[in-house]
Amino acid sequence: QVQLVESGGGLVQAGGSLRLSCVASGVSGMLFRINTMAWYRQAPGQQRELVATITSGGNTNYADSVKGRFTISRDNVKNTVYLQMNSLKPEDTAVYYCNAGPIAIGQIFPSWGQGTQVTVSS
């Protein structure tokens, strides 16, 4: 079945780094390759927000709050998306999810993965 599995989260001190991974399974390599992928996050009591996107051609875009600190990348051979997070701040604490880009939400992956918890201590 089609699913997304995120990993790599954890507890880190402010200023530290983490690298998140997301594997898309049950979907063809071509379908993964041609679609924009994205990372989202949801902090307690808040709505899920878009963090970063990467197009099929490798063009990236970031939320202002993470620009210059986070880097999104993809490996189309492995059907995997990554999020390198540097200079982490306590306000980055959230559950992080990957999925298709905002326009294609629900069209490629029928449900969200379990996410991976990132906790940044001050």
Side-chain angles (χ1 to χ4, degrees), residues 41 51 62 66 68-71 83-86 88 92 96:
R41 67 186 181 186
V51 174
Y62 300 92
V66 307
R69 301 187 297 120
F70 290 10
T71 302
L83 186 68
Q84 177 67 44
M85 306 186 297
N86 299 326
L88 282 161
D92 294 319
Y96 284 72

Side-chain angles (χ1 to χ4, degrees), residues 3-122:
Q3 62 177 350
L4 297 160
V5 179
E6 299 93 347
S7 63
L11 173 64
V12 63
Q13 288 188 331
S17 299
L18 285 172
R19 188 191 193 211
L20 308 184
S21 300
C22 171
V23 179
S25 62
V27 63
S28 72
M30 177 179 289
L31 190 59
F32 178 86
R33 186 167 59 248
I34 66 174
N35 278 280
T36 293
M37 292 296 295
W39 282 95
Y40 303 80
R41 67 186 181 186
Q42 186 168 19
Q46 298 187 22
Q47 289 191 335
R48 191 170 293 166
E49 64 172 347
L50 178 64
V51 174
T53 62
I54 183 166
T55 68
S56 58
N59 293 319
T60 58
N61 212 343
Y62 300 92
D64 287 343
S65 59
V66 307
K67 205 170 290 184
R69 301 187 297 120
F70 290 10
T71 302
I72 187 172
S73 60
R74 66 192 298 166
D75 184 334
N76 291 331
V77 174
K78 297 181 179 179
N79 276 18
T80 301
V81 185
Y82 304 98
L83 186 68
Q84 177 67 44
M85 306 186 297
N86 299 326
S87 302
L88 282 161
K89 304 175 180 180
E91 50 264 44
D92 294 319
T93 295
V95 179
Y96 284 72
Y97 304 87
C98 74
N99 210 312
I103 295 176
I105 285 291
Q107 298 179 26
I108 302 167
F109 307 104
S111 61
W112 293 84
Q114 83 289 348
T116 185
Q117 176 71 49
V118 172
T119 303
V120 184
S121 63
S122 56

